[in-house]
Amino acid sequence: MMVVMTPEATPAEIEAVVAKLEARGVHAKVMPGELTTAIGAIGDPEGVRELGLEGLSGVDQVIPISRPYKLASSELSHHEPTVFEVDGRRVGAPDTFCLIAGPCTVETPDQTRTVARTVAEAGASMLRGGAFKPRTSPFSFQGLGEQALGILGEVRAETGLPVVSELTSAQHTGLFAEVVDVVQVGARNMQNYGLLEVVGKLGKPVLLKRGLSSTLDELLMAADYVLKEGNERVILCERGIRTFETATRFTLDLGAVPWLKLHTHLPVIVDPSHASGDRRLVGPLARAAAAAGADGIIVEVHDDPEAALCDGPHQIYAKDFPAFASDVAAHASLLGKKLA
Ligand code: PEP
Ligand code: MN
């Protein structure tokens, strides 16, 4: 931390800050400048934050130097990328690309089976499918719930694809135990800290989506909630954020991919479907994500999107998926990555 004093700060005010820091066991280094004096506070940034130095007279600003996220950071102790397997599919390895595909929502056994078979044949690593849907309106279709998990379980057994599904409430963890391989925390729940601790304790890999209006620092601090429970298997997902631009449903923040790859050891994937809200944009954004160095994508696919109960406009046609997958794989291969 750096404590910057105002130009008018008196020697006594500077001394008072130093005394507070030292009483906390933090080393204080006074650096007088031409106009203002700065005091470097070395050690225990949390302790310094709790001192509330901003309120002291003569203090202008308290500037954090170290990152606010601890466990997700690649800068403190964890320099190597986190790599793990989901039923034999590697996630986060520099030479693998993870293609997660499937319907927005499980609607019928046939729909789920048809899509799952198509994506499995085209090289998908995992099947996505919503059972409990976090809908903006309580009057929209909420998902088939437990029945959907039953369907996912059958299709998982038939295709061998691991299943990714969103947990919207701690009440449902028991239902997820048997059939869900990766527990998704949706954008709307990224800051549901109680839920993050619950998924941290489940012992399953977690796919954590960035909140609609969350900064990347906030995403990494949310990841810290899962990591602190001893669960290292966290996948971060950029899914578009709210900006002034309304042409696309959200603004896909592709810069987040290389930024996250620099600042965290966790795998980073991109959701071009929810970001764009338009299936015509999903291919280009998916290719861009692969070329930007993402560890994978999660994409929505439907056999009959016109009849979809949720997110029809951006689900890509199952018949188009094989060409889509090979196109994305070609872009991932530019960075030496093969489908997991
Ligand atoms: C989803 O992936 O099904 C979903 C609802 O996405 P998000 O949480 O990113 O809106
Ligand atoms: Mn959806």
Side-chain angles (χ1 to χ4, degrees):
M1 291 278 197
M2 189 67 78
V3 184
V4 182
M5 305 301 290
T6 63
E8 299 78 30
T10 64
E13 286 167 342
I14 294 170
E15 201 35 59
V17 172
V18 170
K20 262 206 148 194
L21 289 169
E22 285 177 347
R24 185 80 191 207
V26 174
H27 178 63
K29 185 168 170 40
V30 180
M31 294 171 279
E34 232 168 80
L35 269 181
T36 57
T37 292
I39 303 164
I42 303 156
D44 187 17
E46 284 313 317
V48 176
R49 228 169 251 135
E50 283 164 17
L51 289 177
L53 296 174
E54 292 90 343
L56 291 192
S57 66
V59 173
D60 185 22
Q61 303 180 63
V62 179
I63 304 168
I65 306 288
S66 59
R67 306 272 170 191
Y69 40 88
K70 308 282 168 234
L71 306 173
S73 170
S74 52
E75 286 151 11
L76 294 173
S77 54
H78 202 314
H79 303 290
E80 290 305 308
T82 289
V83 179
F84 55 88
E85 286 191 2
V86 179
D87 200 19
R89 278 80 168 174
R90 286 210 303 163
V91 183
D95 60 350
T96 52
F97 191 82
C98 187
L99 182 53
I100 306 172
C104 174
T105 311
V106 171
E107 296 170 8
T108 66
D110 271 357
Q111 166 243 13
T112 309
R113 188 169 284 116
T114 304
V115 173
R117 283 189 183 148
T118 305
V119 302
E121 272 167 32
S125 333
M126 298 182 216
L127 175 69
R128 65 149 288 142
F132 297 93
K133 296 302 299 179
R135 302 306 299 278
T136 303
S137 163
F139 307 112
S140 302
F141 175 59
Q142 300 287 309
L144 296 181
E146 190 168 357
Q147 196 191 337
L149 291 170
I151 296 170
L152 285 170
E154 283 169 22
V155 171
R156 176 179 180 263
E158 287 165 23
T159 60
L161 284 178
V163 163
V164 181
S165 199
E166 177 169 352
L167 184 73
T168 54
S169 162
Q171 267 174 281
H172 303 138
T173 50
L175 300 172
F176 274 49
E178 288 295 308
V179 296
V180 176
D181 298 279
V182 176
V183 178
Q184 179 170 320
V185 175
R188 287 154 193 82
N189 273 317
M190 189 205 86
Q191 288 180 311
N192 183 341
Y193 302 120
L195 190 68
L196 294 174
E197 287 174 340
V198 166
V199 298
K201 291 189 181 96
L202 280 184
K204 289 179 187 274
V206 174
L207 195 168
L208 177 61
K209 299 189 94 176
R210 180 181 183 180
L212 320 184
S213 303
S214 295
T215 65
L216 294 173
D217 274 8
E218 287 164 345
L219 171 63
L220 293 179
M221 284 187 272
D224 270 359
Y225 272 90
V226 180
L227 295 167
K228 82 173 168 62
E229 298 304 326
N231 187 352
E232 274 262 304
R233 295 182 296 168
V234 178
I235 306 167
L236 303 171
C237 180
E238 161 57 36
R239 49 78 72 210
I241 50 173
R242 283 244 156 94
T243 66
F244 56 82
E245 181 56 76
T246 53
T248 49
R249 192 180 182 206
F250 293 95
T251 299
L252 183 63
D253 180 10
L254 268 181
V257 174
W259 189 92
L260 286 167
K261 295 302 288 178
L262 274 179
H263 291 95
T264 176
H265 52 87
L266 297 171
V268 179
I269 68 167
V270 167
D271 175 347
S273 306
H274 293 95
S276 65
D278 181 338
R279 80 171 63 81
R280 296 169 298 178
L281 309 185
V282 170
L285 293 179
R287 296 195 295 267
D295 294 296
I297 57 166
I298 179 166
V299 61
E300 292 194 343
V301 185
H302 200 288
D303 56 333
D304 184 9
E306 276 90 10
L309 297 179
C310 182
D311 287 348
H314 67 229
Q315 302 207 53
I316 59 177
Y317 289 89
K319 67 175 171 49
D320 295 337
F321 187 77
F324 168 88
S326 63
D327 223 9
V328 173
H331 284 72
S333 77
L334 294 172
L335 302 184
K337 289 175 185 278
K338 285 203 174 75
L339 292 188

